[in-house]
Amino acid sequence: MKKDKNILIVMPVKDEHKKTLEQHSQGNKFIYSSYDNVTQEMVQEANVIIGNVDPFYLQEAKNLEWLQLNSAGADPYVKKGVLPEDVILTNATGAYGPSVAEHMLAVLFSLQKKLHLYRDNQNQCEWQDEGGIMSLCGGTLLIVGLGDIGLYFARLMKNFDYHIIGIKRRPGQVPQDIDELHTMDDLDKLLPKADVVLSVLPDSKATRNIFNKDRFEKMKNTSILLNAGRGSAVNTEDLCEALIQGQIYGAGLDVTDPEPLQTQHKLWNVENVIITPHVAGDFHHPATLYRIVDIIAGNLQRYLEGEQLMNIVDTTTGCKL
């Protein structure tokens, strides 16, 4: 087992989490800090960093062997020059399924039942009927980016009798709760079938502006777009026009491009969109931090035993290998 390693923790762990992380790590030194309070000296001395430390510090991390993120997204850390070449980068894929999926389900139901409009009316003290609504049950769901979040969302939607189509980068065995599995090559022929489209795509050259004017024209005018991946997957100006022109019914966005969305951006004033400020993940859901700690503890044990780590990030794509 590896010993005499400096392990820097840069995330909000409690005593019970510290116990979980340290129980298989005798002979190693743990230093606990936070994103705001970590110093350049701490980073320079660390052999292992657990948590999303400011990328600015990492260029001088001469002793660093492994960086374990507490996020699934790795965008800032795969840019050229951020990490020394021999550093292993892993993420927390698998921790955010319940949090993000439940958030997006609530957003979807709000759009289908026009609860966002009634909330606007309430804020204006207006007693007004907003007319017809959509059923929660039945329809076709297309999930673009079928990872942990997408699969958890599929599981929730199966309770409402949806036919569920998943898109992955590579073909493979059809997962539980998925009725059809496709690759990105089939996106254009699948969009006209979907009543709900969930994007859980990372940011990469291949995914930027995938949802654009041409794609919105292929979607049903009763369809709803949900984005819980990265804002860059959606062309914001094209989305505004699609919503204003009625090419799609509505959108639920936990991520935008740009982010944060400027105060004067016209998307704020489009009626059939619900925007939340990239909060579906983070540590808001009570289960998330426990799931992150479990993933990290498993990887820490593998690292100390000299075994292959889980959730290694491909630095060319920003995705898990």
Side-chain angles (χ1 to χ4, degrees):
M1 175 179 284
K2 295 180 181 179
K3 293 185 178 181
D4 301 319
K5 298 294 183 180
N6 288 329
I7 301 170
L8 174 61
I9 312 291
V10 188
M11 51 184 285
V13 290
K14 301 176 182 178
D15 288 343
E16 59 186 303
H17 304 134
K18 292 178 183 180
K19 183 177 179 181
T20 299
L21 292 171
E22 294 179 18
Q23 62 183 349
H24 299 296
S25 308
Q26 292 184 359
N28 296 287
K29 180 182 178 182
F30 282 76
I31 304 98
Y32 293 93
S33 186
S34 67
Y35 184 88
D36 293 327
N37 295 321
V38 70
T39 66
Q40 181 76 72
E41 183 180 7
M42 290 178 184
V43 172
Q44 287 177 334
E45 293 178 353
N47 303 113
V48 175
I49 298 176
I50 294 175
N52 290 30
V53 68
D54 190 326
F56 171 79
Y57 291 131
L58 294 171
Q59 297 177 13
E60 302 301 323
K62 304 301 184 183
N63 296 311
L64 187 62
E65 300 172 7
W66 165 41
L67 171 61
Q68 166 70 61
L69 302 177
N70 57 248
S71 64
D75 311 356
Y77 301 94
V78 297
K79 294 177 180 177
K80 189 173 181 180
V82 172
L83 283 175
E85 290 186 7
D86 56 347
V87 173
I88 300 171
L89 178 64
T90 58
N91 66 12
T93 293
Y96 292 94
S99 178
V100 179
E102 289 175 10
H103 182 99
M104 299 314 295
L105 183 69
V107 170
L108 173 62
F109 285 179
S110 294
L111 285 164
Q112 289 174 325
K113 298 303 182 186
K114 296 185 176 178
L115 299 184
H116 60 302
L117 300 183
Y118 288 110
R119 181 67 187 189
D120 290 345
N121 293 346
Q122 180 180 334
N123 288 336
Q124 299 298 322
C125 303
E126 293 181 0
W127 188 275
Q128 179 174 307
D129 189 329
E130 293 294 343
I133 57 173
M134 295 180 175
S135 172
L136 300 180
C137 298
T140 296
L141 165 65
L142 174 62
I143 301 174
V144 186
L146 195 61
D148 177 63
I149 294 169
L151 287 170
Y152 201 95
F153 191 79
R155 196 176 313 145
L156 295 176
M157 294 296 283
K158 264 300 175 185
N159 294 313
F160 299 92
D161 297 323
Y162 269 74
H163 179 80
I164 301 178
I165 305 171
I167 288 182
K168 295 184 70 174
R169 283 181 297 157
R170 294 182 288 268
Q173 186 175 355
V174 181
Q176 185 177 354
D177 299 315
I178 304 299
D179 298 298
E180 300 178 36
L181 184 62
H182 296 260
T183 64
M184 289 298 293
D185 292 338
D186 294 332
L187 177 61
D188 286 335
K189 74 176 185 181
L190 294 171
L191 284 173
K193 301 179 180 180
D195 298 290
V196 178
V197 178
L198 171 66
S199 173
V200 205
L201 293 170
D203 176 61
S204 70
K205 290 181 180 179
T207 61
R208 287 171 199 151
N209 287 323
I210 275 186
F211 292 97
N212 53 35
K213 182 177 185 293
D214 292 340
R215 296 264 160 71
F216 293 132
E217 288 177 350
K218 291 179 171 65
M219 294 170 64
K220 296 179 180 181
N221 61 12
T222 55
S223 65
I224 292 174
L225 173 70
L226 304 173
N227 191 6
R230 286 294 181 266
S232 59
V234 177
N235 184 301
T236 307
E237 295 302 316
D238 289 354
L239 174 62
C240 287
E241 288 306 307
L243 289 164
I244 292 168
Q245 299 300 324
Q247 290 175 335
I248 65 174
Y249 175 79
L253 311 173
D254 186 53
V255 289
T256 60
D257 184 26
E259 191 173 298
L261 195 63
Q262 302 101 320
T263 305
Q264 301 302 319
H265 200 289
K266 64 182 178 182
L267 186 60
W268 288 113
N269 297 314
V270 177
E271 184 179 70
N272 252 20
V273 62
I274 294 177
I275 302 169
T276 53
H278 206 150
V279 294
D282 208 345
F283 300 113
H284 294 90
H285 192 291
T288 300
L289 186 54
Y290 288 94
R291 291 166 70 96
I292 292 172
V293 169
D294 284 345
I295 291 168
I296 291 173
N299 252 357
L300 184 57
Q301 185 171 354
R302 293 182 191 95
Y303 166 78
L304 295 173
E305 296 289 350
E307 299 176 359
Q308 176 79 20
L309 300 182
M310 300 292 289
N311 289 0
I312 293 177
V313 174
D314 182 346
T315 55
T316 61
T317 67
C319 300
K320 188 181 78 168
L321 287 173

